[in-house]
Amino acid sequence: MNALHINKKPKLLIGITMGDPCGIGPEIIVRSLASSALKRAANYIIIGNQAVLDSTAQSLKIPFRYRVVSLETDIERVSTPISLLSSEHFDLNLIKKRLPTAEGGELSFLWIKKGIDLALQGKINALVTAPICKEAIHMAGYQYPGHTEILRDLSKVKRVVMLMIGGSLRVAFVTTHIALHEVSQSITVKNVLETITICNTYMKKYFTTRNPRIAVCGVNPHAGEEGIFGNEEKNIIVPAVKKAKKLGIECDGPVSADTVFYKALKGRYDLVVSMYHDQGAIPLKLHAFETGVNITLGIPFIRTSPDHGTAYDIAGKGIANPDSMREAIMTAIMMAKCEGKV
């Protein structure tokens, strides 16, 4: 009698960009991937620099085994828990500065680009990005305000939505990294409606919510108070919400931003659409600073990241909390499983 052979499904392969080498990115990657639970859940390919990775693991005194791979020959045959796609020389003496550098910004950008290329080619199931420094990116000559805009342009899509999740909150943004005085001129019926519809689609796909209950923030105090504090609600947000409802989306708005997050935490809403960055990021980070995750919706692959920056002030001290990175990795795995690729 022949033995029964069961073909196991291949593990997910999650790409992780190292982020700014002078920040806490390498540290939180090493600490996160030291977890046996994460190693069981998927395989990982770090996109970064070998000298930085080795130096980080040594300083943390964490045994960190990995296999170095090359893009051309090995990436499609990755079967070890952790691999490294190493490229570009980096002067380790720069790490000691713990400051933005053109060299760190250049590598940060190149690693993101490689991660995006791998994701677009279908060679990884999801991309997790460690923190970058906008100043360093600019010093290197790349005039992007953040990850979201890099992902949009290099993925060649017109519209993306930044979604932050943490604890019981999910917050999406109509505008992201722009000055506060530009917000009123930047929100339109079109982009408010696009944010609502994109969030509705992705909530159903990845968060198993059949009919997401979406709250749409007003932009002014008390949602404009019937025009007393501004007309953006009446002229922009109300028409967008009406159009969304006609599409069958369950949404309310404009809802005053000083009460909507309390209502969401109490279970009334599954997601809040915020008009600008700090309007949504402050309550999210207050509620779940150490476990928040940033997700980019609208690009043709899964991308998550920890919801914090490079933290130069604590980099290299061995005290950076890896929880947000772990959550970002677990969220990427959860979303990838929803794709049915494994």
Side-chain angles (χ1 to χ4, degrees), residues 67 69-78 123:
R67 175 190 174 203
V69 300
S70 67
L71 177 61
E72 294 77 18
T73 59
D74 296 335
I75 188 118
E76 293 179 350
R77 299 194 298 272
V78 167
K123 292 185 176 181

Side-chain angles (χ1 to χ4, degrees), residues 272-334:
V272 177
V273 172
S274 175
M275 292 298 116
Y276 58 93
H277 184 277
D278 283 11
Q279 185 184 57
I282 289 173
L284 189 286
K285 292 188 178 185
L286 180 65
H287 174 61
F289 183 80
E290 294 181 344
T291 56
V293 176
N294 187 327
I295 303 170
T296 305
L297 307 181
I299 54 177
F301 57 88
I302 296 162
R303 178 265 176 172
T304 69
S305 75
D307 191 18
H308 58 68
T310 52
Y312 290 128
D313 58 324
I314 63 170
K317 296 180 180 179
I319 60 173
N321 189 330
D323 288 350
S324 187
M325 174 58 86
R326 288 193 189 114
E327 289 291 331
I329 294 170
M330 290 189 289
T331 300
I333 292 170
M334 178 274 292

Side-chain angles (χ1 to χ4, degrees), residues 183-184 187 217-221 223-224 231-233 237 254-255 257 275-276 279:
V183 171
S184 293
I187 59 172
C217 285
V219 68
N220 296 299
N231 294 313
E232 289 86 355
E233 286 78 14
I237 298 172
V255 183
M275 292 298 116
Y276 58 93
Q279 185 184 57

Side-chain angles (χ1 to χ4, degrees), residues 127-285:
L127 180 65
V128 181
T129 59
I132 61 173
C133 172
K134 299 172 183 64
E135 182 181 351
I137 291 287
H138 289 182
M139 291 169 69
Y142 303 104
Q143 299 305 309
Y144 285 101
H147 263 119
T148 303
E149 294 78 14
I150 296 172
L151 288 154
R152 178 197 63 206
D153 286 3
L154 297 189
S155 298
K156 297 180 180 179
V157 297
K158 292 183 178 180
R159 176 71 178 160
V160 296
V161 171
M162 184 168 74
L163 171 67
M164 290 184 180
I165 65 172
S168 302
L169 283 181
R170 299 185 183 100
V171 184
F173 300 82
V174 176
T175 65
T176 52
H177 302 110
I178 62 173
L180 188 57
H181 70 85
E182 297 175 2
V183 171
S184 293
Q185 300 168 351
S186 300
I187 59 172
T188 64
V189 174
K190 182 175 183 290
N191 61 22
V192 173
L193 179 60
E194 286 176 344
T195 305
I196 297 169
T197 55
I198 289 171
C199 288
N200 184 65
T201 298
Y202 280 82
M203 285 288 290
K204 290 180 178 179
K205 182 175 183 178
Y206 293 120
F207 296 95
T208 61
T209 307
R210 288 187 178 181
N211 293 299
R213 298 163 299 167
I214 299 174
V216 183
C217 285
V219 68
N220 296 299
H222 306 292
E225 202 78 79
E226 299 299 324
I228 295 174
F229 302 130
N231 294 313
E232 289 86 355
E233 286 78 14
K234 182 168 49 178
N235 296 337
I236 299 170
I237 298 172
V238 168
V241 169
K242 285 182 178 179
K243 287 176 180 285
K245 287 181 176 180
K246 285 183 180 180
L247 294 173
I249 298 172
E250 187 176 339
C251 62
D252 293 337
V255 183
S256 180
D258 63 358
T259 60
V260 68
F261 298 99
Y262 173 80
K263 293 174 181 177
L265 285 172
K266 290 295 183 181
R268 182 167 174 179
Y269 299 113
D270 299 302
L271 180 141
V272 177
V273 172
S274 175
M275 292 298 116
Y276 58 93
H277 184 277
D278 283 11
Q279 185 184 57
I282 289 173
L284 189 286
K285 292 188 178 185

Side-chain angles (χ1 to χ4, degrees), residues 102-124:
E103 293 87 349
E106 178 72 20
L107 291 185
S108 298
F109 182 84
L110 292 177
W111 293 335
I112 296 166
K113 186 178 185 300
K114 287 185 180 180
I116 291 172
D117 289 343
L118 291 177
L120 290 174
Q121 293 170 33
K123 292 185 176 181
I124 55 176

